[in-house]
Amino acid sequence: RSIGPHAVSADDPLPSWNDTDTKTSITSFVQRVTDPDSTDFVEPALRIATFDNDGTLWSEQPFYFQLAFAFDRVKAMAPKHPDWKHTQPFQAVLEGDMKTVMAGGKESLLKIMATTHAGMTSAEFEALAYDWIQTAKHPKTGRLYKDMVYQPMLELLTYLRSNGFKTFIVSGGGIDFMRPWTMETYGIPPEQVVGSSIKTKYQLRDGKPAILRMSDIDFIDDKEGKPIGIHSHIGRRPIFAAGNSDGDWQMLQYATMDHSPSFGLIVHHTDADREWAYDRQSAIGKLDKALDDAPKQGWTVVDMKHDWKQIYPK
Amino acid sequence: RSIGPHAVSADDPLPSWNDTDTKTSITSFVQRVTDPDSTDFVEPALRIATFDNDGTLWSEQPFYFQLAFAFDRVKAMAPKHPDWKHTQPFQAVLEGDMKTVMAGGKESLLKIMATTHAGMTSAEFEALAYDWIQTAKHPKTGRLYKDMVYQPMLELLTYLRSNGFKTFIVSGGGIDFMRPWTMETYGIPPEQVVGSSIKTKYQLRDGKPAILRMSDIDFIDDKEGKPIGIHSHIGRRPIFAAGNSDGDWQMLQYATMDHSPSFGLIVHHTDADREWAYDRQSAIGKLDKALDDAPKQGWTVVDMKHDWKQIYPK
Ligand SMILES: [Ca+2]
Ligand SMILES: [Ca+2]
């Protein structure tokens, strides 16, 4: 089975979507903007679609998968850091004591991220991220993390591309963490991935050019950062944007408000049996203001439980 | 006449290049990396080509064309700033006294840039840049600035794209200054333009999303900044890079050192009759260290006078 770019069935480009209004709203939008006779026709060059990643293209519970990568890195690096056995937050990570890790709050997580994501070249980091994504499994589902992508969203990406859209990821996650595997997983090349970043430095090392990863944060691609990141990397407003949390609120505004034709999509996690159910109260992927705003702005809210025939690829 | 994406002649994809070793080195590289039977074959997805803009794709004398845009903006804004008549560096700009403007050095130029490039939305700025490029003419040649692009380089861009390359601009110039017109002029869409940037802010204004241009510098895409900008925007190393000054030295290293097959190209301004002749001593487009390094690194140096049949489009 391939979960890369899919062939789109001529009969039904979105076979994992139930035949609900949600699906119709998507296909009718795509038909309008691609029909040269429609007043809503949009030139192919302007068919920019941006997708949040965590919770929109793949799962994000019980915590962002990039954090699982960071924890696995702590474990792999531990033999060279014997002091971590009795230094928080590393001790808690090594003991699998997530409660203590999370209790340390933002400061603990930043320490873990700086330790595991910096102090190496970008090529070295990319290899670590790529290797991890090939083998790491989610503790609850037992699936590879990369197989916890949403089949309906893979179909949507392919459907949009086959209709002349250029698809981008615009995620709060680390840009360099995602880029090594987004092409294989989503059919999205590195140059179409926008994300958070740390500062880097260019250096010649023994005659070899290297990008060094520093521990300072450069850019947070979340909330107001998403329109900024889109402007910086893409340079035009999307006509299609998909997200799942208040972190995507501004991106959805930027794509759709005073910008017609356009389409806003919110993935609402309503399926506790097949995935997770959460929204307004969730620590991860909190969806509150954007959900209130959706009817006013005409954004389409995907009810995972009712709109999706299938969650993950078979 | 169109100076956008050109049709490539089957006989000769680079008709404005003389039949010299320079031309052969380019075509032989492209043949090798696109021939599936060659050991130098490169997958299309990895055929990334990056081009400096000023002095590489269009002229840059007697000063960067973006500066001419800034001076024209000062003139256009002057009626609302009566004090500029006796405030430097604006007074000198208004009086066309370039000597005094330049004598003010970096500080003066930064003041002019901040005044003319910030304090508006990105959409407003893009419209100003687009309008300017349609009509502004170079004082010496009388040509539109956008017609002072190099015909041989336009052919090279088209030739590379027709061989599966994705072409990017990586320029010290302002990313938002270039993006409005690079598609029409070079066939390069906004999302494939990397450049220097100022800080921006996202805001809803009367229910309309806007990116506000602040006056602080965000990123300088020059020298060490070029590999950083490439890493940030593209996420992979180019296999082809073209520049014309020491500002491109690190980009050329990044594309070619310890990275084979790859191609480095330097445009050497040697034609005082048809364009300008300058290199090691020039205030604009200084080419010194990269020129010394070229033979060691195997970079191809274009001798404009001898290698180019024609400079500008007819
Ligand atoms: Ca999300
Ligand atoms: Ca240059």
Side-chain angles (χ1 to χ4, degrees):
Chain A
R1 153 186 94 57
S2 152
I3 57 167
H6 297 261
V8 168
S9 151
D11 300 337
D12 183 355
L14 301 172
S16 299
W17 293 69
N18 286 319
D19 290 321
T20 60
D21 287 351
T22 302
K23 180 173 179 170
T24 311
S25 75
I26 294 170
T27 53
S28 118
F29 172 75
V30 171
Q31 277 154 20
R32 281 184 289 121
V33 297
T34 55
D35 175 1
D37 295 329
S38 164
T39 51
D40 280 347
F41 178 73
V42 175
E43 295 291 339
L46 298 177
R47 293 181 203 155
I48 302 290
T50 56
F51 287 80
D52 169 59
N53 186 37
D54 301 303
T56 298
L57 295 179
W58 72 351
S59 294
E60 60 180 349
Q61 297 288 358
F63 43 74
Y64 297 129
F65 294 176
Q66 188 174 354
L67 212 47
F69 164 73
F71 296 157
D72 285 348
R73 288 301 308 147
V74 167
K75 288 169 199 159
M77 292 165 76
K80 287 192 176 170
H81 301 267
D83 55 303
W84 285 359
K85 277 186 193 143
H86 37 82
T87 315
Q88 295 297 8
F90 304 102
Q91 182 185 345
V93 173
L94 295 175
E95 292 170 354
D97 176 7
M98 286 307 111
K99 212 173 150 182
T100 301
V101 176
M102 296 304 178
K106 203 178 162 183
E107 203 186 325
S108 279
L109 295 180
L110 280 177
K111 198 176 280 178
I112 291 168
M113 294 304 274
T115 306
T116 57
H117 283 58
M120 67 196 94
T121 69
S122 64
E124 287 161 353
F125 182 75
E126 281 158 24
L128 292 173
Y130 185 78
D131 289 348
W132 183 83
I133 207 82
Q134 302 307 321
T135 53
K137 287 182 178 174
H138 191 279
K140 185 184 161 192
T141 65
R143 278 181 169 255
L144 292 170
Y145 287 106
K146 74 184 170 88
D147 290 345
M148 290 178 71
V149 296
Y150 304 132
Q151 177 62 27
M153 296 303 280
L154 296 180
E155 293 167 5
L156 177 55
L157 286 170
T158 305
Y159 173 55
L160 290 174
R161 286 194 293 260
S162 71
N163 280 282
F165 281 76
K166 207 162 180 176
T167 53
F168 290 81
I169 288 174
V170 177
S171 165
I175 189 168
D176 293 331
F177 171 71
M178 296 181 282
R179 280 174 161 171
W181 49 268
T182 52
M183 186 66 204
E184 285 178 27
T185 301
Y186 301 129
I188 296 179
E191 62 269 26
Q192 285 162 224
V193 177
V194 182
S196 297
S197 54
I198 56 176
K199 298 231 184 261
T200 57
K201 214 166 137 176
Y202 170 75
Q203 224 170 55
L204 269 190
R205 289 180 145 190
D206 304 325
K208 298 178 184 181
I211 303 284
L212 299 180
R213 296 175 60 79
M214 317 304 287
S215 51
D216 295 324
I217 286 171
D218 177 51
F219 178 67
I220 300 288
D221 191 50
D222 195 34
K223 299 191 173 76
E224 293 83 2
K226 292 209 174 191
I228 300 291
I230 290 169
H231 176 70
S232 163
H233 285 257
I234 308 177
R236 18 192 175 200
R237 291 172 68 180
I239 65 162
F240 187 108
N244 78 302
S245 80
D246 284 357
D248 303 305
W249 193 23
Q250 288 84 353
M251 173 170 76
L252 288 161
Q253 292 174 354
Y254 189 56
T256 64
M257 290 175 74
D258 192 40
H259 197 225
S260 181
S262 59
F263 196 91
L265 185 99
I266 293 177
V267 175
H268 190 189
H269 293 261
T270 52
D271 196 330
D273 293 328
R274 294 186 301 171
E275 207 240 5
W276 282 270
Y278 57 97
D279 45 39
R280 296 181 194 276
Q281 308 298 329
S282 180
I284 297 274
K286 177 176 175 171
L287 174 65
D288 186 36
K289 290 176 185 167
L291 192 58
D292 288 339
D293 210 17
K296 269 177 271 176
Q297 304 299 344
W299 297 333
T300 293
V301 178
V302 175
D303 180 333
M304 281 178 75
K305 188 167 181 169
H306 292 103
D307 290 327
W308 286 0
K309 215 170 279 179
Q310 182 185 334
I311 306 286
Y312 300 128
K314 287 218 174 84
Chain B
R1 157 187 90 62
S2 154
I3 57 165
H6 297 261
V8 168
S9 151
D11 301 335
D12 183 355
L14 301 172
S16 299
W17 294 70
N18 286 319
D19 290 320
T20 59
D21 287 351
T22 301
K23 179 173 179 169
T24 312
S25 75
I26 295 171
T27 53
S28 119
F29 172 76
V30 171
Q31 276 154 20
R32 281 184 288 121
V33 297
T34 55
D35 175 2
D37 295 328
S38 163
T39 51
D40 280 345
F41 178 74
V42 175
E43 295 291 338
L46 299 177
R47 294 181 203 156
I48 303 290
T50 56
F51 287 79
D52 170 58
N53 186 37
D54 300 304
T56 299
L57 294 180
W58 72 353
S59 295
E60 61 180 350
Q61 297 288 358
F63 43 73
Y64 297 129
F65 293 176
Q66 188 173 355
L67 212 48
F69 165 72
F71 296 156
D72 284 348
R73 288 302 307 147
V74 167
K75 290 168 198 161
M77 293 164 76
K80 287 192 177 169
H81 301 267
D83 56 304
W84 286 357
K85 278 186 193 144
H86 37 80
T87 315
Q88 296 296 10
F90 304 102
Q91 182 186 347
V93 172
L94 294 175
E95 292 169 355
D97 175 8
M98 285 306 109
K99 211 172 150 184
T100 301
V101 175
M102 296 304 177
K106 203 177 163 185
E107 204 186 324
S108 277
L109 294 180
L110 280 176
K111 199 177 278 179
I112 292 168
M113 294 304 275
T115 304
T116 57
H117 283 60
M120 65 197 92
T121 69
S122 63
E124 287 161 354
F125 182 75
E126 282 157 26
L128 292 173
Y130 185 79
D131 289 349
W132 183 84
I133 207 82
Q134 302 307 320
T135 54
K137 288 181 180 175
H138 192 278
K140 185 184 160 191
T141 65
R143 279 182 168 253
L144 292 171
Y145 287 105
K146 73 184 169 88
D147 290 345
M148 290 178 71
V149 296
Y150 305 132
Q151 176 64 24
M153 296 303 280
L154 295 180
E155 292 167 6
L156 177 55
L157 286 170
T158 305
Y159 173 55
L160 290 174
R161 286 193 293 261
S162 71
N163 279 281
F165 281 76
K166 206 162 180 175
T167 54
F168 290 80
I169 288 173
V170 177
S171 165
I175 187 168
D176 293 331
F177 170 72
M178 296 181 283
R179 279 174 162 171
W181 49 269
T182 53
M183 186 67 205
E184 284 177 29
T185 301
Y186 301 128
I188 296 179
E191 61 270 26
Q192 286 163 224
V193 177
V194 181
S196 297
S197 55
I198 56 175
K199 298 232 185 257
T200 59
K201 213 165 138 177
Y202 171 76
Q203 223 170 55
L204 269 189
R205 288 180 144 190
D206 305 324
K208 298 178 184 181
I211 304 285
L212 299 180
R213 296 174 60 81
M214 317 304 286
S215 50
D216 295 323
I217 286 172
D218 177 50
F219 177 67
I220 300 288
D221 191 51
D222 195 32
K223 299 193 173 74
E224 293 83 1
K226 291 209 176 191
I228 300 291
I230 291 170
H231 176 72
S232 163
H233 284 258
I234 309 178
R236 18 192 176 200
R237 291 172 70 180
I239 65 163
F240 187 107
N244 77 302
S245 81
D246 284 356
D248 302 305
W249 193 22
Q250 289 83 353
M251 173 169 77
L252 288 161
Q253 293 173 353
Y254 189 56
T256 63
M257 290 175 74
D258 192 41
H259 197 227
S260 181
S262 60
F263 196 91
L265 186 100
I266 293 178
V267 175
H268 189 187
H269 293 261
T270 52
D271 197 330
D273 293 329
R274 295 185 301 171
E275 207 238 7
W276 282 270
Y278 58 97
D279 46 39
R280 296 182 194 275
Q281 307 299 329
S282 180
I284 297 275
K286 178 176 174 171
L287 174 65
D288 185 35
K289 289 176 186 167
L291 192 59
D292 287 338
D293 210 17
K296 269 177 269 177
Q297 304 298 343
W299 298 332
T300 294
V301 178
V302 175
D303 180 334
M304 282 178 74
K305 188 166 180 169
H306 293 103
D307 290 327
W308 286 1
K309 214 171 279 178
Q310 181 184 336
I311 306 286
Y312 300 128
K314 289 218 173 83

